[in-house]
Amino acid sequence: MKYLLDTNALLWVLENNHLLTKKAKNAIVNDRNDIYVSIVSLWEIAIKLSIRKLELTKTLNEIIEEMSRQFLHVLPISVDAIRKIQMLPFHHRDPFDRIIIAQAQADNLIIITKDQQFDHYDIKILW
C-alpha cells in the first residue's frame, strides 16, 4: 500500500507521540508499505517553526534526517496535483492540507491523518 502522512501524523511519528493510533503506526512501520511525506509538510513545519507557532524537540534538519532513517519518502508537488487543487471544493481552506489532499488524489495515496476535515473529500483515509 502507498500512504501519505499528513503533517500531524508525521510529527507524531517522529516524536513517538501517543496520539498516533495503533492502526496508523502499524501501517507506517510495515516494510511492505511505501510511506510518503509531502514536501508541503516540510514547508509547513519550517514556516510554523520560524513564526514560533510550533515547538518541537527536533530541529527541521533533524526531522529530515529522521525521515531518511525511517525510509519516509519526500513527495514533490506534481503538475497533476496542482490541477487537482483547482477542482477541490472548499470544505477545507488550509492551503497545506489542500495540497496534501490533491497529492493523494493525483497519486492514488491513502492519507494518514486525524484531521476530520479530510473526510469531506474523495480520498482514502487511515486513522
Side-chain angles (χ1 to χ4, degrees):
M1 301 291 281
K2 296 183 345 182
Y3 294 94
L4 176 59
L5 299 181
D6 186 16
T7 308
N8 61 32
L10 169 64
L11 293 175
W12 293 340
V13 165
L14 299 178
E15 302 253 320
N16 202 22
N17 191 305
H18 71 280
L19 295 173
L20 189 67
T21 66
K22 185 175 183 177
K23 190 176 182 180
K25 189 172 187 174
N26 287 341
I28 294 165
V29 300
N30 184 335
D31 61 5
R32 292 178 296 188
N33 293 333
D34 292 322
I35 310 298
Y36 295 90
V37 173
S38 173
I39 191 70
V40 80
S41 289
L42 297 177
W43 182 22
E44 179 181 15
I45 291 167
I47 289 171
K48 289 183 177 179
L49 286 172
S50 71
I51 63 173
R52 301 196 193 312
K53 190 175 178 183
L54 180 64
E55 290 185 26
L56 301 173
T57 61
K58 294 179 170 89
T59 66
L60 183 60
N61 284 338
E62 290 170 330
I63 288 170
I64 293 167
E65 290 171 9
E66 182 66 24
M67 285 174 47
S68 179
R69 281 192 294 275
Q70 292 196 28
F71 303 103
L72 303 177
H73 310 287
V74 176
L75 182 67
I77 301 171
S78 68
V79 172
D80 287 341
I82 299 295
R83 288 183 180 122
K84 294 276 185 191
I85 290 170
Q86 182 181 7
M87 305 307 291
L88 286 179
F90 278 94
H91 300 300
H92 198 30
R93 296 197 177 270
D94 182 308
F96 300 112
D97 288 345
R98 290 178 58 79
I99 294 170
I100 289 170
I101 291 163
Q103 286 179 294
Q105 288 180 343
D107 294 319
N108 197 27
L109 302 170
I110 300 166
I111 299 180
I112 296 179
T113 186
K114 182 182 181 180
D115 191 334
Q116 294 179 343
Q117 291 294 323
F118 285 51
D119 292 340
H120 299 291
Y121 294 92
D122 184 25
I123 53 173
K124 295 176 186 169
I125 298 171
L126 175 76
W127 189 245

